[in-house]
Amino acid sequence: MKLASLPLTTYGFQLLMFGRRKEGLTPDQYRDHYENVHIPLMKNLTGDTFPLTHVRHYVKRDGPPDFPPAVLMGNQTDFDYDAVAVLTYRDKAHFDANWAFFEDEETSTLIKEDEEKFSAAQSKSLIFAGAGWGLVCFDQRR
């Protein structure tokens, strides 16, 4: 996927991702796979292009059977995601080097195979640079 160029600031370059767990997984199973399988795989595959930081926040959910989000404000339907990740890159060149792994057929296949084990078919991502929002928003899986 090609991304539009964005105005950059001295604050770096960030990607904000919203992820959903695969149907049939509990929130704990989703988190465990994301933390202990997916992130180590991504670090291994992308090496020194891995983001400077990859901070994951998980939506608190109540127990079974449906695991509804513990809502303080808003509605249950506002929380169709299970995790929010903030990835920070030095600059757009660092982001582009990391994103190249998603465009490489072999690496992309390995990533998609792992994502299919824990992640729902759609994820939402927003890109922003520094304190200002960027120009690209997409709602699709890599």
Side-chain angles (χ1 to χ4, degrees):
M1 169 182 294
K2 299 294 180 195
L3 301 175
S5 62
L6 304 172
L8 299 179
T9 69
T10 58
Y11 298 105
F13 193 81
Q14 293 184 308
L15 174 65
L16 180 63
M17 299 188 332
F18 296 83
R20 286 190 296 177
R21 71 187 190 286
K22 182 177 179 175
E23 189 172 336
L25 289 182
T26 68
D28 287 341
Q29 290 169 323
Y30 172 79
R31 181 180 183 152
D32 181 65
H33 190 97
Y34 200 169
E35 295 292 329
N36 300 309
V37 177
H38 191 67
I39 293 302
L41 173 68
M42 296 302 295
K43 286 180 179 179
N44 183 52
L45 291 174
T46 63
D48 62 359
T49 71
F50 191 78
L52 298 174
T53 63
H54 191 301
V55 179
R56 293 157 308 282
H57 303 277
Y58 297 91
V59 174
K60 177 161 176 31
R61 293 187 173 275
D62 294 327
D66 298 327
F67 301 103
V71 176
L72 180 62
M73 293 177 59
N75 299 305
Q76 297 285 323
T77 56
D78 294 336
F79 298 90
D80 63 348
Y81 54 90
D82 292 280
V84 178
V86 181
L87 290 67
T88 303
Y89 299 90
R90 282 185 303 279
D91 49 30
K92 187 169 184 305
H94 181 201
F95 169 81
D96 289 342
N98 181 250
W99 196 258
F101 285 93
F102 297 97
E103 294 178 345
D104 174 80
E105 187 176 337
E106 184 177 334
T107 306
S108 179
T109 297
L110 292 172
I111 294 168
K112 287 178 184 177
E113 286 174 353
D114 185 60
E115 287 178 340
E116 289 172 358
K117 295 175 183 174
F118 78 105
S119 183
Q122 294 291 320
S123 64
K124 299 175 185 175
S125 300
L126 296 171
I127 293 177
F128 58 98
W133 289 98
L135 305 175
V136 178
C137 175
F138 57 95
D139 185 3
Q140 66 182 25
R141 189 173 192 154
R142 289 183 288 279

